[in-house]
Amino acid sequence: MDEKLEILLKWAAEVGISDSETYQTQSHPPLTCLGHSLYVSHFPEAGGRGLAALRDISKGELILRVPRSALMTRETVLKDERLSNALNAHSSLSSTQILSICLLYEMNKGRSSWWYPYLMNLPISYDVLATFGEFEKQALQVEDAIWATQKAVLKAELEWKEANVVMKELNLKPRLLTFKAWLWASATVSSRTLHVPWDVAGCLCPVGDLFNYAAPGEDLNFKMQSSSFGNYPCVNGDDPIDVLDSEQLDFHSERLTDGGFEEDVAAYCFYARRHYKKGEQVLLCYGSYTNIELLEHYGFILNENPGEKIFIPLESELCTSNTWPMESMYIQQNGEPSFALLSALRLWATRPDQRRSVAHLVYSGSQLSVENEALVMNRILKNCNFVLKNLQTSYEEDNLLLRDIEKLQDSLSSLQLKNVLASSTGQIRSFLEANCLERGESSSVEMLSSSRNIIQAVGRWRLAIQWRLSYKEALINCRSYCCKVIQTIPFQND
């Protein structure tokens, strides 16, 4: 086990964090906070470092408890009078800005911070959208995703400029005043905080943020696409997870709570969301997100994401012929149109003077006629083809590019960089040029091999390609779905 991690787990035991209730009553804390229900393990294909079941665990069982005193919140950090006075003079700052400042303030203390064992185990970087450079942003290709990235970057820059006034007054170290440091702090808050009832920004939860993510409703046998070996756990403060007490568990067997802050024990308590066998990764669900939202807030995407939504261009008349909100009309990752999209299109394909008479059938999910259903499927098919045709690269080209990027990542770790620079073409060449790496320059090769920033840029580029591959795959799946329905319509209506 990593030495820093051992220090964290020992410190956690000393402050009352435990995966066993019996530990809470012992006069002498154990050497580690884990060892009864959980242990730290590595899951390369499912989130990197995470928590595994040390034994068979039953659904609904309490598996970790973190006392309120161990949570890093604005409330606890602001007990520092100097920090409190500085922040009180700037009331316009948001809760998340304040928590980010608090985090950097504690980092500034170094070893003297009470949370030092926890702070030194935080990831050194994140791959959230706000960290994407221009090349990675454009690699997303889809206008909505590019716009989401632009907004994330602009928002981070604005919040940094506002917060920097306070941080300068606090005399933080120069490296902690940089935009890069702010991106790290704000990404930590975005990707690792858990909901607490007394603060919108949430809290940072030592050990509790080692849980990796599982999307709601899936079978949990997912693979997470990540560009680095760090884990991306925990709950965004803006998206609280539900809290159920033990009496409610029997009535919610299909969607068990993962955890929440419980006032009666003054602790954040985590529960098993399903039955786990010994050695399985124990996962945490913190809401339903599309892949671009996961990338924006947490820095990863899912190969199989039940919350994914792909939007295609729709006629303005379609939007006014029904009452479905636009955000409900989408294509799922498996290619199936949402109920709202099918309903809206079935009404749109009906003569205006007949829509009222068939509305009850549409809203019950019924097909109206062979002709109507054929019109609907052909319209979706046409729109999917239009989107795919207007993207710069095809699904097949992206697959080949992804393999080249993986080879590039391998060369970064094996230091076979001269060969990469000498043989690179196409988008690999464009990436190297965008990062100021020119063919044949030994100094550039040395910079590439030693620069963590370049390695991280390759990882973010890979995530962008993976995202657009997933996007295109959903559209291709939808084309297949529409063709299949069109072929079977006559048989359904015999």
Side-chain angles (χ1 to χ4, degrees):
M1 185 185 295
D2 180 88
E3 183 181 356
K4 292 192 298 183
L5 182 59
E6 286 184 355
I7 293 172
L8 169 64
L9 298 182
K10 184 178 186 300
W11 170 84
E14 292 171 353
V15 300
I17 299 174
S18 176
D19 65 346
S20 171
E21 290 186 82
T22 58
Y23 285 166
Q24 305 297 323
T25 61
Q26 294 180 359
S27 56
H28 300 288
L31 295 178
T32 175
C33 65
L34 304 179
H36 176 72
S37 303
L38 305 167
Y39 67 96
V40 178
S41 187
H42 193 67
F43 302 90
E45 297 299 319
R49 188 173 70 177
L51 293 174
L54 188 60
R55 56 180 175 79
D56 289 352
I57 296 174
S58 300
K59 184 177 181 179
E61 187 176 343
L62 177 66
I63 51 175
L64 186 69
R65 186 161 70 174
V66 181
R68 180 168 181 163
S69 57
L71 303 175
M72 180 183 282
T73 65
R74 180 173 61 169
E75 170 192 75
T76 51
V77 181
L78 286 182
K79 290 178 181 178
D80 185 301
E81 187 175 351
R82 181 166 172 252
L83 177 62
S84 179
N85 290 337
L87 287 171
N88 285 338
H90 297 272
S91 58
S92 62
L93 295 173
S94 69
S95 296
T96 53
Q97 280 177 297
I98 291 173
L99 187 56
S100 298
I101 294 171
C102 290
L103 176 59
L104 289 172
Y105 184 76
E106 289 299 319
M107 289 294 293
N108 193 69
K109 292 180 180 179
R111 292 181 180 274
S112 65
S113 171
W114 187 78
W115 283 281
Y116 179 73
Y118 168 64
L119 297 175
M120 68 178 182
N121 276 276
L122 290 172
I124 59 174
S125 65
Y126 299 88
D127 295 319
V128 296
L129 283 185
T131 67
F132 275 40
E134 185 64 24
F135 189 89
E136 300 99 83
K137 181 184 72 175
Q138 294 301 328
L140 292 165
Q141 292 189 348
V142 180
E143 185 177 340
D144 287 347
I146 292 173
W147 175 231
T149 306
Q150 290 174 334
K151 288 193 294 182
V153 173
L154 291 172
K155 179 175 181 288
E157 289 177 345
L158 176 60
E159 291 183 343
W160 167 61
K161 290 175 182 177
E162 293 172 344
N164 218 28
V165 177
V166 184
M167 295 190 293
K168 285 180 178 178
E169 292 175 3
L170 292 167
N171 294 319
L172 298 192
K173 295 179 178 71
R175 64 182 180 84
L176 297 177
L177 296 174
T178 63
F179 182 53
K180 181 179 179 180
W182 180 257
L183 282 176
W184 174 84
S186 60
T188 299
V189 170
S190 172
S191 65
R192 303 180 80 86
T193 49
L194 294 144
H195 169 72
V196 289
W198 64 87
D199 193 341
V200 177
C203 69
L204 290 168
C205 182
V207 184
D209 61 9
L210 292 176
F211 288 106
N212 281 316
Y213 172 74
E218 61 173 303
D219 65 359
L220 307 181
N221 293 319
F222 67 91
K223 289 185 178 180
M224 181 182 293
Q225 298 276 17
S226 170
S227 69
S228 66
F229 294 107
N231 66 316
Y232 300 89
C234 291
V235 183
N236 188 321
D238 295 332
D239 297 280
I241 46 181
D242 300 327
V243 179
L244 275 68
D245 59 37
S246 58
E247 292 180 355
Q248 292 175 298
L249 293 178
D250 293 337
F251 300 97
H252 295 79
S253 59
E254 293 304 313
R255 189 175 184 277
L256 185 69
T257 182
D258 297 292
F261 185 81
E262 299 182 5
E263 292 285 355
D264 57 335
V265 292
Y268 215 101
C269 297
F270 298 85
Y271 299 89
R273 71 191 315 264
R274 65 174 179 86
H275 300 296
Y276 290 99
K277 294 291 185 182
K278 181 178 179 180
E280 283 189 286
Q281 182 172 195
V282 181
L283 299 165
L284 177 69
C285 174
Y286 42 94
S288 179
Y289 294 89
T290 65
N291 271 340
I292 199 64
E293 290 169 338
L294 286 173
L295 202 51
E296 178 179 1
H297 298 294
Y298 303 101
F300 67 81
I301 67 171
L302 297 177
N303 275 334
E304 299 175 12
N305 184 0
E308 180 67 311
K309 298 177 181 179
I310 305 297
F311 296 93
I312 56 175
L314 299 171
E315 290 75 3
S316 56
E317 182 192 348
L318 184 146
C319 302
T320 58
S321 64
N322 69 90
T323 58
W324 292 105
M326 287 296 296
E327 59 269 20
S328 68
M329 293 186 281
Y330 57 85
I331 293 168
Q332 301 172 66
Q333 196 172 37
N334 63 5
E336 293 185 13
S338 69
F339 181 87
L341 179 58
L342 278 177
S343 299
L345 283 166
R346 284 167 178 162
L347 272 181
W348 167 81
T350 302
R351 284 173 41 185
D353 61 333
Q354 295 179 351
R355 287 172 184 168
R356 182 181 293 273
S357 64
V358 300
H360 66 288
L361 295 173
V362 169
Y363 294 132
S364 69
S366 300
Q367 293 183 14
L368 300 182
S369 68
V370 172
E371 294 77 12
N372 181 278
E373 199 69 8
L375 277 172
V376 168
M377 292 299 130
N378 278 301
R379 174 53 59 183
I380 297 175
L381 185 60
K382 179 181 178 181
N383 288 0
C384 287
N385 284 329
F386 174 81
V387 174
L388 286 166
K389 184 179 179 180
N390 283 277
L391 294 173
Q392 296 97 310
T393 56
S394 68
Y395 179 82
E396 293 74 20
E397 289 171 331
D398 287 348
N399 259 321
L400 292 174
L401 175 59
L402 188 59
R403 293 174 195 169
D404 289 339
I405 294 174
E406 289 168 351
K407 292 177 183 177
L408 177 59
Q409 287 185 305
D410 290 340
S411 72
L412 293 175
S413 59
S414 63
L415 304 182
Q416 296 174 347
L417 302 174
K418 289 184 179 180
N419 294 335
V420 175
L421 291 173
S423 61
S424 60
T425 58
Q427 293 189 61
I428 295 289
R429 163 58 50 187
S430 299
F431 170 79
L432 296 173
E433 291 175 350
N435 287 277
C436 304
L437 302 166
E438 299 177 4
R439 184 176 311 202
E441 292 188 2
S442 59
S443 59
S444 294
V445 172
E446 292 168 2
M447 180 180 71
L448 180 58
S449 63
S450 62
S451 173
R452 182 181 290 115
N453 291 337
I454 297 299
I455 294 172
Q456 291 166 356
V458 175
R460 288 192 288 268
W461 183 31
R462 179 181 178 180
L463 275 172
I465 304 303
Q466 288 171 331
W467 182 85
R468 79 190 197 202
L469 262 170
S470 175
Y471 178 90
K472 292 171 186 178
E473 184 177 22
L475 293 173
I476 292 169
N477 289 340
C478 187
R479 289 195 312 192
S480 298
Y481 172 88
C482 292
C483 290
K484 184 177 179 180
V485 171
I486 291 170
Q487 291 170 359
T488 59
I489 284 174
F491 301 101
Q492 294 173 348
N493 292 272
D494 282 344

